[in-house]
Amino acid sequence: MRKTIKSPSILSIDTSCDETSAAITQGLTVLSNVVWSQSKIHAKFGGVVPSVARRQHERKISWVVERAVNTAKIQYKNLDAVSVTVGPGLAIALGVGINFAKNLAIRYQIPIIAVNHLDAHLMGVFAQANKNNNQSGLTSNNAANLLMPDNRLKHPAFGIVVSGGNTLLVQIEAIGKYEVVAQTIDDALGESLDKSARLLGFGYPGGAVLEKFAKKGNPNKYHLPLPLLGREDEGIYSYSGIKTAFNRLVTSLTERKILTRQQINDLASTYQKVAFDHFFRISKKTIIKNLSNETSYLLAGGGVAANVDFRKRVRTMCKKLKVVPVFSYNKKLYGDNAAMVGISAYFKFLKKEFSNPENIDRLPNLKIDQAM
Amino acid sequence: MEIVSVSTVKIDDVIRILDKGGLVIYPTETMYGIGADATNSAAIKKLNRYKKRPAGKPYSIATSGKTMAEGYVFINKVAANIYKSLLPGPVTVVSHGKHNVAPGVESEAGTLGIRIPDHKLVIDIIKKFGRPITSTSANASYKKRPYKISDVLDNISESQKKLIDLIIDSGELPHKDPSTVVDTTCDDLTVLRQGEILFNNKNEILSRNEEETKNFAKELWQKYEIHFGRRAFVFALTGEMGSGKTVFTKGLAKAVGVTDLITSPTFNLQISYKLQTGHQSLVHIDTWRMSSPSEIYDLDFGENISECSIIVIEWADKIVDEIKKYTEEAVVIWVQLTFGKRENERLIRWMVAK
């Protein structure tokens, strides 16, 4: 007989867009987190743009799940639940993960939990490293301080999700209960960084490469307009304007001659700075507007949070606002991955929020504040 | 609100209403328009409430002829040629305004569009009224083109209906495009909206800001809307980064009744929005990240075509051959956006694939 105090072991799957990922979590502890990145595969073939990939997901998913299970040293029959991202994302890609999860749930007669990918990005900060296997010396973060013993939040908090497909700021009343207070009306921050990187010839996705060049550049060398000046109280981010301005700037410089290494550094640095300036300008004003005496934490998730400068600026903003920033303990938890799905699923498991495997379906346009 | 037939309407009654700042719906040779005294601020404010227009969008005005027009705009040589050869008729001529109209009628740049409708009753009304009236379609912003009175009334709220003082009913009008709008303020004549009358051999308009790009998308949709439900639509968009492809899609979405926030599909590759009308969707695709054109089939492209959905494809030039396969089943419209001379200007060309 299983001991009741043991946290549930959950197998989670995420195939929301490019990445095929599976993870095993036990409560908040990450036992394994396998991410098969399409961009890495394509990078091998000379930086080709990643592909849609229903077939890629279909080809990889068994291997990825198998590997997550083996790494965690768990057996399928000992799983307490399987969870899967149902949205938002690309419908056909989501479908691959959902079908796989559904079959597992039926075969092993375990509950299936439908997870919102955006919720997962926030819940990822609560993930804890496996202490028995903590060879990298990772220390867990301060997220646990925000959780009460019964897994409710001590205080209301804020959350940001900044990735290739999303840019939003939410107010968190309770786990799973969000109110969007700011969001992008066009491009996502991560997408904007990737596109500017492409304009500089870095290939796709180039946000991470842009960061490297930006470090060596002068962020004030060129002028780019800051979007939505004077409209900071509308709760919107917009990246299409600076993208256009940047395209014009790069075009005008390359008309004369090929960019020098230093120019590329300066351009990368300028773009990244203005893109972040805009994000923090809007975020700060929006947070101040919604700040109560009780709110004292900011959870940060999404691939852009892997950017060192971005995290630095989150800390700076939080210091001014007297809010504690909370990041995931491991960089791998920022981008799309299944461990964060497992954490989100764990909170749902406690509330017995299970889905019927026959009815579980993809929700490509799912919003963070939308009931499933 | 009173509805009178075109055969029984008394011009004096119409003038009395216009004089008091009222709104009158009237027939023209293109579609139904809504008229307010263009020199009366209160009347224009009432019209703004009725139209629910984005702030800063100007109104064209209808005059009885060139002489009346000269009291409100500077007519240069380019404009004079058009007045002489094409007016009255479905052309709106934009010139520098003389600031003799109510605020909000001229554009922020001080230009003003003049229209002389080819419709005797309307000309008689304006002549007797002695001042221009607004020349804008009788529908609310982004709603159905008004060819009959029910097109107007079925698509507005009760509170909007209350704002209308008089409707002159002329039955169902022949379905014509709205007037061609030409800007004559520069030496080169620029087409801002293309109707039945063509000024150059290519389909090309100049958009001066994002709002106009959205508006163009709406106009383009309304030109071909009649095929909706029977054939799919493919809007194949081309143009470099930042040229306004997503902006175009926002305007199209608004015109087809999608109220969701339209954001860039670059990351997801495809985002679908359910249409209110039935089981079809507005499918917004971005091929920018695709490595091979065949990936479009991974996105259920064929299914969306057979469901008669409206498909918008950004960076469509990457999948030309795939799109060509569907010219029978779908209305395929190629839209090319390029940067104009000024910062916010875009030249937009379009072509319906045959």
Side-chain angles (χ1 to χ4, degrees):
Chain A
M1 218 182 77
R2 199 177 289 154
K3 278 184 261 173
T4 46
I5 50 162
K6 181 181 156 285
S7 293
S9 300
I10 302 177
L11 164 65
S12 301
I13 294 171
D14 184 278
T15 56
S16 54
C17 201
D18 293 346
E19 264 74 73
T20 315
S21 178
I24 304 288
T25 48
Q26 194 175 68
L28 296 174
T29 306
V30 180
L31 301 183
S32 65
N33 188 16
V34 181
V35 180
W36 184 287
S37 170
Q38 314 247 352
S39 47
K40 271 182 209 152
I41 307 171
H42 285 276
K44 270 194 208 159
F45 299 99
V48 183
V49 176
S51 81
V52 174
R54 166 162 43 195
R55 280 156 306 176
Q56 290 291 350
H57 285 304
E58 278 167 355
R59 214 175 292 161
K60 297 293 166 245
I61 190 154
S62 306
W63 183 89
V64 168
V65 169
E66 200 67 26
R67 182 155 171 133
V69 169
N70 291 341
T71 309
K73 299 192 177 70
I74 195 167
Q75 289 183 303
Y76 283 101
K77 62 174 168 45
N78 293 332
L79 289 172
D80 296 293
V82 56
S83 83
V84 64
T85 297
V86 294
L90 178 64
I92 52 148
L94 290 164
V96 176
I98 293 172
N99 278 339
F100 203 91
K102 204 162 41 178
N103 290 339
L104 286 175
I106 293 167
R107 193 189 320 159
Y108 296 101
Q109 292 291 303
I110 46 175
I112 187 164
I113 301 168
V115 168
N116 182 326
H117 184 80
L118 297 168
D119 174 80
H121 268 305
L122 292 175
M123 293 304 103
V125 305
F126 293 114
Q128 303 296 310
N130 185 6
K131 294 195 186 72
N132 303 330
N133 187 24
N134 199 352
Q135 293 154 333
S136 56
L138 289 166
T139 50
S140 293
N141 57 6
N142 52 5
N145 298 337
L146 179 57
L147 278 184
M148 294 202 277
D150 63 353
N151 287 306
R152 280 185 300 134
L153 290 183
K154 264 185 214 163
H155 312 276
F158 289 101
I160 54 176
V161 179
V162 277
S163 63
N166 294 282
T167 299
L168 45 89
L169 170 63
V170 294
Q171 212 164 2
I172 309 174
E173 282 169 48
I175 286 173
K177 208 172 167 205
Y178 308 109
E179 188 195 339
V180 177
V181 286
Q183 63 184 321
T184 181
I185 54 162
D186 39 56
D187 298 356
L189 174 53
E191 168 190 348
S192 149
L193 296 171
D194 284 337
K195 283 188 169 167
S196 66
R198 175 79 160 248
L199 285 170
L200 293 174
F202 295 154
Y204 185 93
V209 184
L210 186 84
E211 182 185 1
K212 287 193 186 125
F213 282 81
K215 266 185 212 152
K216 294 177 228 153
N218 171 3
N220 301 312
K221 179 78 189 186
Y222 300 101
H223 173 76
L224 285 175
L226 202 54
L228 302 173
L229 276 180
R231 294 176 57 190
E232 293 82 1
D233 58 347
E234 292 178 27
I236 52 178
Y237 305 102
S238 170
Y239 283 100
S240 68
I242 13 174
K243 174 182 71 182
T244 309
F246 192 65
N247 185 7
R248 281 182 183 252
L249 174 63
V250 173
T251 309
S252 73
L253 291 171
T254 46
E255 252 166 26
R256 274 167 269 162
K257 52 182 174 187
I258 297 169
L259 296 176
T260 64
R261 185 79 175 200
Q262 192 54 45
Q263 276 179 311
I264 292 175
N265 293 343
D266 293 341
L267 284 165
S269 193
T270 304
Y271 191 87
Q272 187 178 283
K273 179 182 176 286
V274 176
F276 289 172
D277 280 351
H278 172 55
F279 180 81
F280 289 102
R281 194 181 163 82
I282 302 294
S283 301
K284 196 175 153 193
K285 297 233 171 164
T286 311
I287 289 176
I288 289 172
K289 209 166 80 178
N290 293 284
L291 200 62
S292 73
N293 294 332
E294 276 189 288
T295 38
S296 48
Y297 286 83
L298 174 84
L299 318 186
V304 179
N307 183 303
V308 176
D309 191 46
F310 183 85
R311 287 206 304 282
K312 203 186 280 171
R313 294 192 61 168
V314 170
R315 289 196 190 91
T316 312
M317 175 181 77
C318 284
K319 207 171 179 182
K320 284 192 190 125
L321 298 170
K322 298 196 168 56
V323 161
V324 182
V326 191
F327 300 100
S328 297
Y329 74 84
N330 182 328
K331 238 185 162 179
K332 202 172 169 182
L333 284 147
Y334 296 135
D336 291 349
N337 69 91
M340 66 181 197
V341 176
I343 305 303
S344 171
Y346 168 61
F347 292 118
K348 285 170 174 260
F349 186 97
L350 296 175
K351 289 184 268 181
K352 299 208 163 35
E353 289 178 11
F354 303 127
S355 295
N356 180 342
E358 301 301 327
N359 300 342
I360 192 165
D361 201 4
R362 55 199 195 177
L363 296 167
N365 296 353
L366 188 63
K367 309 277 181 269
I368 195 168
D369 52 359
Q370 187 181 333
M372 279 189 277
Chain B
M1 184 179 76
E2 195 191 344
I3 302 181
V4 292
S5 151
V6 72
S7 52
T8 56
V9 66
K10 292 196 182 68
I11 290 181
D12 287 337
D13 292 344
V14 181
I15 284 165
R16 213 178 47 245
I17 289 166
L18 289 170
D19 250 333
K20 278 195 254 169
L23 302 184
V24 178
I25 289 182
Y26 60 92
T28 74
E29 79 278 35
T30 58
M31 55 190 70
Y32 281 94
I34 185 158
D37 180 352
T39 62
N40 178 339
S41 310
I44 297 305
K45 277 185 189 146
K46 190 175 182 185
L47 182 61
N48 283 336
R49 282 206 304 281
Y50 171 78
K51 290 282 286 183
K52 298 196 167 168
R53 290 172 82 128
K57 201 179 160 192
Y59 290 105
S60 296
I61 60 172
T63 66
S64 56
K66 190 180 168 214
T67 315
M68 184 188 279
E70 278 171 329
Y72 299 90
V73 289
F74 295 97
I75 298 175
N76 63 14
K77 219 170 168 185
V78 184
N81 272 333
I82 301 170
Y83 277 79
K84 199 171 154 194
S85 54
L86 294 166
L87 298 185
V91 179
T92 300
V93 185
V94 177
S95 298
H96 284 296
K98 291 183 170 173
H99 317 314
N100 290 336
V101 285
V105 175
E106 290 183 354
S107 74
E108 278 160 358
T111 62
L112 178 60
I114 300 283
R115 168 127 155 76
I116 305 174
D118 190 8
H119 196 288
K120 188 169 180 311
L121 172 72
V122 181
I123 296 289
D124 288 347
I125 291 169
I126 299 168
K127 209 178 264 174
K128 195 148 187 200
F129 185 51
R131 304 191 288 280
I133 62 171
T134 55
S135 167
T136 179
S137 58
N139 54 338
S141 263
Y142 282 86
K143 297 293 182 194
K144 200 166 185 245
R145 283 180 178 178
Y147 292 113
K148 51 182 190 295
I149 298 306
S150 61
D151 289 342
V152 179
L153 298 182
D154 293 350
N155 290 295
I156 56 174
S157 66
E158 286 304 313
S159 58
Q160 277 172 300
K161 279 182 197 167
K162 284 193 188 118
L163 295 168
I164 305 170
D165 297 277
L166 178 71
I167 294 176
I168 306 173
D169 189 353
S170 185
E172 182 157 357
L173 305 171
H175 289 219
K176 297 251 176 75
D177 278 341
S179 65
T180 298
V181 181
V182 286
D183 186 342
T184 60
T185 57
C186 304
D187 297 336
D188 289 337
L189 177 146
T190 321
V191 178
L192 301 179
R193 178 174 77 188
Q194 188 172 297
E196 311 250 318
I197 293 181
L198 306 182
F199 279 82
N200 36 30
N201 288 325
K202 47 187 186 278
N203 292 321
E204 179 184 284
I205 63 111
L206 177 78
S207 159
R208 291 164 301 181
N209 52 51
E210 287 195 3
E211 208 46 60
E212 289 190 356
T213 299
K214 288 183 199 169
N215 203 57
F216 165 74
K218 176 202 72 179
E219 303 277 354
L220 197 57
W221 167 250
Q222 291 183 336
K223 244 184 235 285
Y224 300 101
E225 190 181 7
I226 191 159
H227 302 291
F228 178 61
R230 290 191 294 265
R231 288 167 82 190
F233 275 85
V234 176
F235 288 89
L237 311 187
T238 68
E240 62 182 295
M241 205 175 277
S243 59
K245 298 182 292 298
T246 299
V247 172
F248 175 95
T249 311
K250 280 175 185 266
L252 181 70
K254 196 171 170 192
V256 302
V258 170
T259 52
D260 301 69
L261 176 66
I262 306 292
T263 53
S264 165
T266 300
F267 186 75
N268 272 356
L269 304 168
Q270 171 168 305
I271 304 179
S272 296
Y273 307 89
K274 273 264 169 276
L275 297 179
Q276 296 156 341
T277 45
H279 64 285
Q280 291 112 334
S281 300
L282 173 73
V283 183
H284 190 187
I285 298 174
D286 190 340
T287 72
W288 190 69
R289 299 201 309 133
M290 290 184 193
S291 51
S292 126
S294 67
E295 284 177 36
I296 191 84
Y297 299 113
D298 258 353
L299 299 173
D300 299 335
F301 190 60
E303 281 173 44
N304 286 322
I305 295 271
S306 47
E307 281 171 2
C308 295
S309 278
I310 304 164
I311 304 164
V312 189
I313 306 173
E314 299 199 15
W315 302 93
D317 34 344
K318 287 179 71 177
I319 57 163
V320 175
D321 292 337
E322 277 61 36
I323 294 172
K324 272 188 186 158
K325 290 177 193 158
Y326 292 95
T327 35
E328 291 289 314
E329 291 154 79
V331 180
V332 178
I333 305 171
W334 285 87
V335 179
Q336 182 194 43
L337 299 114
T338 48
F339 290 107
K341 283 183 204 135
R342 297 204 190 98
E343 198 181 328
N344 292 322
E345 285 181 357
R346 301 288 186 272
L347 276 173
I348 310 179
R349 290 191 191 117
W350 74 97
M351 185 190 82
V352 179
K354 292 267 163 54

